[in-house]
Amino acid sequence: MNTGLKHWKEAATLILAAGHRLGAETLSTPTVELTQPGDPKGRPRVPHHFDYNVLLLKRSSKSGFMPNAYVFPGGLVDSSDFSRDWLDVFKAFTKTPNFGLRSVKQPPDTRPPIFATDRLKLGSPIPGEVAFRICALRETFEESGVLLFVCKEDELGLLKSINESQVTDEIKHYKVNQLCSSELSRWRTLVNQNPSNFVRMCRELEVIPNIWALHEWSNWLTPKRQYSVKRFDTAFFMCCLEETPNALQDQKEIEQLQWSTPADVLQSYQARELWIAPPQFYELRRMCRFASLSNLHTFARRRGTDGCEHWLPVVFFQEEGYLSVLPGDQLYPLSSSHKAKVGTNAEPGEGSESALHRLLVSDPYSPLLQVNITPKYNHLLPFTGPLDATTPV
């Protein structure tokens, strides 16, 4: 972990999508989604039905960061996520680059610092791409009880697939919670008490954290003066499961757990039944481009090797609410310095020639997305139309 950071603490989040069975009535209704997700000019209908849900956790009202917010599982990286003890757990994969993770095509000088930082120079033999996936999996286990792993007896087959580049785009049925529930409960308590028990658990149960099921998705930084004095540099990963695993909140940091479709979450947010932060709002809007879990998985896996942007929202306070500007917007400052991240009296930038990538927030439950840029690294833009749309927007 990078203890030299002055303004942010490194963290990892897992967007966990899992399939569910649709009823006969639902199956008879055709779904509509973007045929070319990377096309910024795509004008899709919002999907009527999704064949998957996404996991959201409600943070405790006593939390020092975004109390009562619904979030994806995740949290701060721990020094144990970079422990050399993981070399023994991943022993069969240590001779392959990044423990068998696919190489990212993004030029090193444009990679977000959370991934570009040389961890070996910081004293850890565990690559950042590996450690942050371990963190996301550990935090998901701590907060929801969902453990994604590969059994030791399966590692040789996985290693062969990696070496022969035979990993396909098919959705794999990643083994979830197929261990004794009482044993898992005991270990979950131990990991919550001390994150270093996660590597100990994997060694004793002879399982490997399934880092290969996680696909690089985005990188969000907390802007200045938002939510609390705490600021995080968070790696977001996407993971798709064929079936919904059993999950249970930790009764400590998490007060409630739910599986819902992206559209259902956004509609509940709009109805003020729950609150989500801008990163969750933006990512769920992106997921609204996909009614099909298979298509989401295929897109996430193929795009994951392209890399991602380093997004630090720039906040401009206005008379009513504020404007949160993202990279690519005409108002986004050229300097990436942390010092110029809050402003006042920003002009909205009207006109068809204006580059827009922003959220207008006059009400915490009704942010307005304005986006017309071309996304980088083959990513896709969020769905910006009304959630109940039945005609192209």
Side-chain angles (χ1 to χ4, degrees):
M1 57 190 300
N2 191 352
T3 57
L5 293 177
K6 295 182 180 180
H7 306 286
W8 291 274
K9 293 184 177 180
E10 293 177 320
T13 282
L14 182 59
I15 305 175
L16 189 59
H20 61 75
R21 295 183 179 276
L22 300 176
E25 181 179 349
T26 300
L27 287 173
S28 65
T29 305
T31 60
V32 185
E33 57 186 309
L34 190 62
T35 55
Q36 294 180 329
D39 180 7
K41 297 181 181 179
R43 301 284 186 177
R45 300 168 185 257
V46 68
H48 291 179
H49 301 286
F50 293 77
D51 67 0
Y52 66 92
N53 290 321
V54 62
L55 177 61
L56 283 177
L57 311 174
K58 183 183 180 183
R59 295 182 62 83
S60 168
S61 59
K62 300 179 181 179
S63 174
F65 182 74
M66 294 196 299
N68 297 313
Y70 279 75
V71 298
F72 305 123
L76 281 174
V77 68
D78 186 79
S79 58
S80 63
D81 299 326
F82 286 91
S83 170
R84 62 177 54 254
D85 290 342
W86 286 111
L87 295 176
D88 182 51
V89 175
F90 288 94
K91 186 176 181 179
F93 302 89
T94 54
K95 293 183 179 180
T96 59
N98 285 342
F99 295 13
L101 293 173
R102 295 173 303 149
S103 299
V104 176
K105 293 175 284 189
Q106 184 178 4
D109 60 338
T110 65
R111 289 286 279 156
I114 197 169
F115 294 121
T117 300
D118 188 337
R119 303 294 165 169
L120 195 57
K121 290 183 178 179
L122 296 179
S124 171
I126 309 301
E129 288 88 344
V130 174
F132 286 103
R133 283 172 169 81
I134 291 173
C135 173
L137 292 169
R138 173 181 56 76
E139 286 285 343
T140 298
F141 178 56
E142 289 181 24
E143 295 179 336
S144 70
V146 175
L147 179 62
L148 305 179
F149 64 88
V150 176
C151 294
K152 279 287 186 178
E153 57 262 30
D154 295 334
E155 72 175 13
L156 292 180
L158 176 59
L159 183 61
K160 181 179 179 181
S161 295
I162 291 172
N163 289 335
E164 296 178 357
S165 300
Q166 291 181 348
V167 179
T168 70
D169 286 327
E170 297 296 323
I171 292 182
K172 302 298 181 184
H173 180 65
Y174 296 113
K175 294 183 178 179
V176 179
N177 294 12
Q178 293 183 4
L179 298 171
C180 173
S181 59
S182 60
E183 184 75 353
L184 274 180
S185 179
R186 182 178 75 86
W187 276 111
R188 186 183 176 197
T189 299
L190 291 173
V191 174
N192 267 297
Q193 292 172 352
N194 189 337
S196 66
N197 283 323
F198 191 55
V199 64
R200 178 184 159 206
M201 177 195 75
C202 291
R203 292 168 73 172
E204 293 194 18
L205 296 182
E206 296 187 331
V207 298
I208 308 169
N210 198 340
I211 60 174
W212 306 277
L214 275 58
H215 307 297
E216 186 176 313
W217 187 258
S218 58
N219 174 212
W220 289 83
L221 287 84
T222 311
K224 194 174 182 179
R225 300 181 189 176
Q226 290 286 93
Y227 317 123
S228 76
V229 295
K230 297 180 180 179
R231 302 175 72 185
F232 301 97
D233 182 351
T234 306
F236 280 65
F237 298 99
M238 178 69 71
C239 177
C240 297
L241 302 175
E242 278 188 331
E243 298 178 1
T244 303
N246 293 324
L248 183 67
Q249 62 262 32
D250 63 4
Q251 303 295 340
K252 183 181 177 183
E253 295 181 17
I254 304 303
E255 291 186 349
Q256 189 173 332
L257 177 153
Q258 72 176 51
W259 292 93
S260 303
T261 69
D264 283 344
V265 176
L266 292 166
Q267 287 172 339
S268 295
Y269 172 49
Q270 188 173 303
R272 300 174 178 266
E273 297 169 358
L274 54 81
W275 185 79
I276 54 178
Q280 280 74 22
F281 174 77
Y282 192 101
E283 300 301 1
L284 287 166
R285 281 277 180 171
R286 278 212 259 218
M287 295 176 74
C288 278
R289 297 282 189 173
F290 299 97
S292 162
L293 179 68
S294 177
N295 289 348
L296 173 62
H297 170 81
T298 298
F299 173 79
R301 187 181 185 281
R302 289 178 176 172
R303 200 222 62 81
T305 58
D306 290 318
C308 68
E309 288 188 89
H310 186 61
W311 280 3
L312 172 58
V314 176
V315 177
F316 294 96
F317 291 103
Q318 300 178 317
E319 290 186 5
E320 296 184 0
Y322 65 90
L323 183 67
S324 181
V325 179
L326 294 169
D329 191 282
Q330 63 170 350
L331 290 180
Y332 199 82
L334 296 178
S335 171
S336 60
S337 169
H338 69 277
K339 296 180 181 179
K341 295 308 168 190
V342 178
T344 57
N345 301 323
E347 292 298 327
E350 300 291 342
S352 59
E353 298 301 319
S354 301
L356 303 177
H357 193 197
R358 59 182 65 176
L359 283 86
L360 295 171
V361 185
S362 57
D363 181 291
Y365 292 90
S366 303
L368 176 63
L369 266 170
Q370 293 184 334
V371 188
N372 63 7
I373 64 165
T374 299
K376 293 184 178 181
Y377 307 113
N378 290 316
H379 223 312
L380 73 162
L381 296 178
F383 178 80
T384 57
L387 294 173
D388 58 353
T390 56
T391 58
V393 296

